[in-house]
Structure formats: C-alpha cells, structure tokens
Amino acid sequence: MNDGSHDPAPEDDSAAMNPSAPEGCFHCGLPLPAQGAWRARVDGAERAMCCPGCAAAAQAIVDAGCADYYATRSGYGATVDSGDAPGLALYDTAGNSGEGSFTVEGIRCAACVWLIERRIDALPGVIESLLNVSSERLQVRWDPAACKVSDILRALRAIGYTAYPYDSKRHGEQLERARRKLFRQLFVAGLSMMQVMMYAVPVYLADDGTMDADMAALMGWASFVLTLPALLYSALPFFGGAWRDLRRGLPGMDVPVALGIAAAFIGSTVALVHGAGEVWFDSITMFIFLLLGSRYLELTARRRAARALETLQEGMPASAARMPGYPAARGTELVAAASLQPGDVVLVAAGQAAPADGAILEGETEADLSLLTGESKTRRLAPGDPLPGGAVNVAQAVVLRVEAAARDSTLALLVRLVDKAGQGKPALALWADRVAAWSVAALLVLTVVVFAAWQLIDPARAWPAAIAVLVVTCPCALSLATPTALAAATDRLLRRGVLAVQPHALETLERATHVVFDKTGTLTLGRPVVRDTRSFNGIAPGTALATAAALEAGSAHPLAQAIRNAASAPTVDADNTGYTVGQGIEGSIAGERYRLGSAAFVGALVERRTPVAPDSEGSAVWLGRQGAWLARFDIADALRPEALDVVRRFEAAGKTVVLLSGDESRAAQQVATRLGIRLAAGDQLPQQKLDFVRELQAQGATVAMVGDGINDAAVLRGADVSFALGGGAALAQLHADCVLLGDSLLPLCEAADTARRTSRIIRQNLAWASIYNLCAIPLAATGLLSPWLSGAGMAASSAVVVLNALRLRK
C-alpha cells in the first residue's frame, strides 16, 4: 500500500521500512529534530516522529485498527509540509460528526487569526470557524456530506500551519515544549545582550574622541560576533514566522520585526566594514531579548488558560471497579469508565474520583467537589446522597450505584461546556483583530514613505528612521490586549465556580441594566422546609413533629420529606396508615387515631374549627386526633442564605433587580418583599417569561437572566446574557451563557465583579496600545527615536498589556 511517498525510496526498501531503523521519522522518514522528538505507540513499541502531525497520523492509524499499514507499506507517509497529504484522510476514520476542535501551531498575531478563519470559511461545507489566539484552538462546524476533517487539516497546512484534532494532553505538551524552547532562546538573547553591552558602553562613553579607531573597530567586531547567537538562534521565531507570512501573501507581526532586525544588522555590518556610520548591535540584541520576554509572558498566559480544561478532563478516571455480583458478591472487576451504564454498582476507593454520577449505597465519607463547584471545603455524604462524577472520595471507600453513563456525568457536561467556552470573540476582540490585521500592511507602506522622505532630506538618517518605524509600530500590544485579558478572566472565574461559555458574557454582564431572577430553585433552595411549628392543647412542638414524621415514614411526597427532615430521631411508630389523595394521611399511634394533612381533612376527625387563621406563606399542614387539634406546620420553599446579599449587591451597583416566577403571584410577591425586590411577576409561563424579557429589551434594557429549570431554557436563550445554576437542569445549562458550578448564588457577584474589572482592563490595554502607537510613530518617523529605543518601547508595550491582563487572576 502506497500512501503517496514524497521522497525517493532508499535503495534497501526493507531497511527503510524496518520499524527499528533510527535514522528518521517512523511515519514519513524525514530527519528527527535534535531535541524533543514526538512519539506514537505502534505495534507495542514507542516510535519516534519528527512532528506532532506525523505523531497524530500514526496514532490515528493505530486507533483505527490499521497498524499493519506500517508492515505492508511500500513508501513513507506524507509529511505535514506536503501539499498533498493523503495520510490526513486517516483522521476521517475516527468519525466525521460535523463539529470539532483543532490545535493550530504557529499562531503569532491577529493576521494569523484573520487568515485562518478566512481560509477555513472558504472550504465547501464549512458553516462556521472561530480561532482563539490565546489557546491556539480552532473550533469548526461543517456539513459532513461536503467537508471532512482531512479537508480542514489540509487547508491549514497549505497556508503554513501545523494542525491536528485537539487533544488536551498533547496540546499541553506542545505548549510546554514551546515554552522551554522559548526560554532557551530568551536566555541566549539575554546573554548576548549583556555581553554586547559590555563592548558598546565604552564606545558610547568615549564619544569625545578618547578611543582610537582601532580600539573602536575591535569593540565593534566583538559586538558583531556576540550578536550572531541572538540573530541566528534567538531570532528564529521572528524570521520563521515572517517567511511563512510572506509565502502566504499576508504580512503578520513577524514581518516588520524580522525586517527591522535584518535591516539593523545589515546596516551595522556595512558600517563596521567601511569604518563609517553607526552600529546598532546592542539595539538588536536588546530588541530580540525584550520581544522574546514579552512573548514568553504571553505563552505563559496561554498555558495557564489551557490548564483549566486539562484539569477538568484529567479529573474523570479512565477505569472503574465494577461489582457485577452486588449485593450477593463483593468482588470487583476493572472496566473502562466509559462502559458504565445506569444501574451498575462500583466501588470508589478513598482518594479516587467517582467515575460517573451516582448515589451512595454503602458507606459514609467526605467528598472534594472543588473541581466541579469551586467549593474549598469537603462535603459529608451518607447512603442515599448523590455523588457526582469527578468528585474525589477523600475519606473511606463507598459503594456507588451509577445513575448516568460517564459521558452524561456532571463532569463530562462541564468538559463539553468548557470545550465550547472561549472559542468565540466579543465585539472588542473582533475590532482589535480587524485593526491589527490591516495595520501591518499600513506599517510597511509607512516605512517605505519615511525612508524615501529621509533620502531626500538627509540620506544618512534614512536607514535608522526606517528601522525605528518598523520596530516601534509592530501591533503586538493591540493583538494581545483582549485575548490575554479574557484568558485570565476565564481562568479566574473557573477557579471561583463560574464557567463562562459564551465569549460575550463578561462584556454584556458589565453593561446589564436589569438582572432577572427565577424564584424556585434560584432565589430559593427549590425544596420545602418546615419554617414554623405551632402546637396546641399542651403538646410540645418536638413531640408534634415526631408524631407527624411517624405518620409520613413511608411517604415520598416533598412535604413529607420536609417534616421528616425537621423532626428528631423517630421515637414512635405508626401503623394502619392510609393515604387520601390530595388530602393527607391517617394512622394509629399507641391505639389512637391521628390525621395529618389539609385543614378540612383533619377537621373531619377533630370535629372542631381550626384554632388559628390560615395565614401561612407556603403550605399549612395540620395534625390532629379525635377531639383535638395538635399542631400546624408551616412549610415553604426556603430562601437561599445568600440571596438577600446578592440582591443588595446588584442594586448597589445600579442595576434593577426583577423576580420572574412561574409560581403563583402571592408566593412570588412574598419572596420579593422579603428580599427587597420592587418589581416581581408571578404565574408566568415559559413564553410569558420570554415576552417579559423581550419587552424590557424593547425599552432599551440590557437583561441578565438567572435561572435553573427546564422552563427557564427559552428565557435564558432570549436574554442578553444568562446564568444557569450548576445544580439545575442540563437543558438550562446548555442554553445559558454562563454556568454557576456550585449550589450558591455568590459566584454570580464574583462574575459581575470580574466582568467589571475585565472590561476596564481591556479598555486600558486598547487605550495604551493606541496611545503608544500614536505617540511612537511620529517620533520614529521624524528620527527622534533611535532603533534601540524603538525596540525597547515596542517590547515594553507588549509586556505592559500582558502583565496588566494577568492582574485579573489575583
């Protein structure tokens, strides 16, 4: 089988195909890199690969069950640089679902983003493509009948970008390799800069003619030699990026940087050879060092942004200890977590993560839910309590009954949401991308104009002025202003229990004028509790609760559960119990007949009027026996402890808080009164909720919606920005722009604060980048800014933007 060899076959084909042959890449035959070769496992052995593209292709071949390809092939696989890469078709064997995420290497600036999105959007069948420059991930949706994964990869490689389907582990390793290499280049540049400065400073100090020409020439040649390591090694990212940009016909940020470095070096070398003119070897090394430093900061920010998703994806165990014979047998068998189905019973040992959502059958323990909810404290769990997939069992082993397949677990849902998050770009980012993509071309034109003008005015100053313009106006800061801030903010929020799914969420929340809350399950806990017990005829409240709990011992009704939760340990037993649908329950305790339920139902046994008026906010449940009323239990949905604080903080920020509930108007108004909410509406069906929000929007309001139920899905989608509670319905989460991962509303205030800070920092970054360019361009063009100051200014502007954005993580 020949996959389209791109190199002549060696004389001994059998030797070339030998898997143990160490000469080159196992997949394509090209030479291996000097350090950090990629690897893939083929036929049970680790094989060296020259690049991540070959490693991915080889892994796809093995995963597809075609490992014998390497034993029977007659030529090497195509390289990632090949214009026709038939090996890429192997990715199609893994499925073609119509939506996918890809890692793209070599992204440098907004021009890269613009080119990649434009190229992918031009492919037949592609519906949408979004590239996140911070994480180097491309999200694409396409029509499977008209487009394939290999088509996308081939298009990216045709314009000079190595790409492969996203894998969190491989992506993290690639970023770490890039960070180590960049650090080495930064170190060499710094060392060269310090050594060159040792020779440059004496020349500057001897400008009064105290240094003779021979000594000055010696200093110059020493600087020349010491500049070479920085030029030939540290500056490779700029020259390589510029070459790729020029090959595809769209200049990016690396083009002016590479031109500036090359022009300064050539001009300095010519001046050194002729013994006349200025040399800028110190400026060259300083520029390379400072720009690499800002790029290193940027890569560090990307690594931190990618780490959140890696942590989530690594939180789900790959295997589980299933107990097939439970409860008759206690033996376990090791199975893949992905194969678990509802009803399976698994053993979760101490220190292990739950492989899927389930309920505890045996054992009491404590669970660490920080990965799922952001909670710092562990949660005590007992038999019957739910344990979500991904939560870590920290105390002792428990037996868990699986209630949802691993792919449908809480953590799996969060991974899908995080995978979706950060792919799009808010309005500010889109504006910055458009400006930066065209500013490079304008910069090159400006450089030519400045050079020509100085040739007419003073030819000796033309070269330095052109170099200064090239270097000082590179739009690095403008391109980094928004993505670095968004990456830092997203990472901060995820650690605080807020998952921002849509790119506009923070920007829109900061502009929101109205915050609309659902009631049940959002401002309230969503479950009834006994709020008050009124006892009569001398019975103690505790005794009344115990009696009621005995009558409701076998009931699954939510009100019965509230009574049992409020009662202490059972002290009496009821027998001969019987339910009357919609009325209550009747039973015998110590030979006496009791009834628990509505006033009419209990009153028929008591044969007397109720002792107090029915003024309860929620449901009134009565207890009585023959001839005597015993107690009334006022049961209502309890407010969340933090609800009042959250409402007050939003009102203090100048936002109008609204309560919108499907519950009856009286109950909605009572909750609104207790929380100090002036605008409340009850009896709202899902369509009425949506109409209410749309009416606010028609009046010019920007609406933030907070809900948790399936009936909130439509209004969550219709609001300008929406938040779903992590404990709510999955449908609500999928329609929301953000998800509060824990069981608290407090992270909502954290999101509002972060949104405000993020918006401020993005505007600071954009303002700084714009003001810097407006000030620096005239200075460079008029010759008032030397090349070394230009390089320092440009690198410093990029570093300021990145460091300012990283403040969001604190």
Side-chain angles (χ1 to χ4, degrees), residues 405-430:
R407 64 180 179 275
D408 300 322
S409 69
T410 301
L411 183 58
L413 174 62
L414 291 181
V415 169
R416 288 197 294 272
L417 290 174
V418 174
D419 188 51
K420 180 181 177 184
Q423 296 301 330
K425 292 184 281 289
L428 278 175
L430 293 172

Side-chain angles (χ1 to χ4, degrees), residues 27 37 165 200 205 247 261 304 338 382 421 439 556 595 651 729 742:
H27 180 69
L205 295 177
R247 278 198 308 169
I261 294 172
R304 288 174 176 172
S439 61
R595 280 190 177 185
E651 290 183 336

Side-chain angles (χ1 to χ4, degrees), residues 54-66 87-88 90-94 170:
C54 286
Q59 194 62 54
I61 292 172
V62 174
D63 293 344
C66 304
L88 297 179
L90 293 165
Y91 284 116
D92 300 332
T93 62
R170 182 183 298 164

Side-chain angles (χ1 to χ4, degrees), residues 66-85:
C66 304
D68 59 344
Y69 157 78
Y70 290 103
T72 59
R73 64 178 175 178
S74 58
Y76 281 114
T79 68
V80 295
D81 295 324
S82 171
D84 178 29

Side-chain angles (χ1 to χ4, degrees), residues 744-760:
S744 171
L745 288 174
L746 285 177
L748 185 63
C749 296
E750 178 74 28
D753 178 64
T754 302
R756 186 168 54 253
R757 294 181 58 203
T758 302
S759 179
R760 184 171 66 246

Side-chain angles (χ1 to χ4, degrees), residues 47-120:
R47 311 297 188 185
M49 306 287 170
C50 66
C51 68
C54 286
Q59 194 62 54
I61 292 172
V62 174
D63 293 344
C66 304
D68 59 344
Y69 157 78
Y70 290 103
T72 59
R73 64 178 175 178
S74 58
Y76 281 114
T79 68
V80 295
D81 295 324
S82 171
D84 178 29
L88 297 179
L90 293 165
Y91 284 116
D92 300 332
T93 62
N96 197 17
S97 63
E99 183 171 359
S101 185
F102 302 86
T103 295
V104 184
E105 298 178 3
I107 299 173
R108 291 288 179 265
C109 63
C112 297
V113 176
W114 179 84
L115 175 67
I116 290 172
E117 291 181 348
R118 182 182 179 187
R119 180 69 183 89
I120 297 303

Side-chain angles (χ1 to χ4, degrees), residues 82-390:
S82 171
D84 178 29
L88 297 179
L90 293 165
Y91 284 116
D92 300 332
T93 62
N96 197 17
S97 63
E99 183 171 359
S101 185
F102 302 86
T103 295
V104 184
E105 298 178 3
I107 299 173
R108 291 288 179 265
C109 63
C112 297
V113 176
W114 179 84
L115 175 67
I116 290 172
E117 291 181 348
R118 182 182 179 187
R119 180 69 183 89
I120 297 303
D121 287 340
L123 289 176
V126 170
I127 301 170
E128 180 185 30
S129 67
L130 290 170
L131 177 61
N132 187 330
V133 68
S134 294
S135 60
E136 296 186 346
R137 292 181 59 191
L138 173 69
Q139 188 78 12
V140 184
R141 290 194 301 117
W142 67 90
D143 179 3
C147 184
K148 298 179 180 179
V149 173
S150 58
D151 297 331
I152 297 171
L153 298 180
R154 188 176 292 109
L156 289 171
R157 297 178 185 195
I159 56 175
Y161 295 96
T162 299
Y164 46 87
Y166 178 79
D167 175 81
S168 63
K169 182 177 180 181
R170 182 183 298 164
H171 184 67
E173 292 172 350
Q174 185 271 325
L175 286 178
E176 181 61 22
R177 281 194 298 269
R179 187 197 66 81
R180 288 197 299 264
K181 182 178 180 180
L182 189 59
F183 180 79
R184 291 193 298 269
Q185 291 170 329
L186 177 65
F187 178 81
V188 171
L191 192 61
S192 292
M193 180 187 69
M194 290 187 293
Q195 297 300 318
V196 170
M197 286 296 180
M198 291 176 57
Y199 292 97
V201 170
V203 175
Y204 290 140
L205 295 177
D207 57 355
D208 56 356
T210 56
M211 181 178 293
D212 58 55
D214 291 340
M215 180 57 68
L218 179 62
M219 294 288 191
W221 282 109
S223 297
F224 170 83
V225 173
L226 292 169
T227 302
L228 290 176
L231 183 76
L232 300 178
Y233 177 65
S234 298
L236 284 179
F238 311 124
F239 290 121
W243 175 243
R244 286 194 299 269
D245 291 343
L246 293 174
R247 278 198 308 169
R248 67 191 183 217
L250 183 70
M253 287 192 305
D254 285 328
V255 172
V257 171
L259 287 176
I261 294 172
F265 183 78
I266 293 171
S268 300
T269 303
V270 171
L272 185 62
V273 171
H274 289 89
E278 292 187 62
V279 294
W280 304 295
F281 295 121
D282 54 330
S283 301
I284 295 169
T285 54
M286 179 186 294
F287 176 50
I288 294 173
F289 173 75
L290 292 176
L291 188 55
L292 284 175
S294 65
R295 191 164 284 189
Y296 184 78
L297 286 174
E298 177 199 354
L299 188 63
T300 301
R302 289 187 191 181
R303 188 70 185 92
R304 288 174 176 172
R307 195 170 295 153
L309 178 57
E310 291 174 26
T311 301
L312 280 177
Q313 289 181 321
E314 293 170 2
M316 186 67 77
S319 60
R322 185 168 61 188
M323 305 174 70
Y326 182 87
R330 315 294 291 186
T332 63
E333 61 179 6
L334 193 65
V335 298
S339 67
L340 294 176
Q341 297 296 325
D344 287 345
V345 177
V346 297
L347 179 68
V348 183
Q352 291 183 351
D357 288 1
I360 295 177
L361 295 177
E362 294 183 17
E364 296 184 359
T365 188
E366 294 185 15
D368 179 2
L369 282 78
S370 58
L371 189 65
L372 303 171
T373 66
E375 298 178 37
S376 58
K377 295 182 179 180
T378 58
R379 186 184 298 178
R380 294 183 62 86
L381 298 174
D385 290 336
L387 182 65

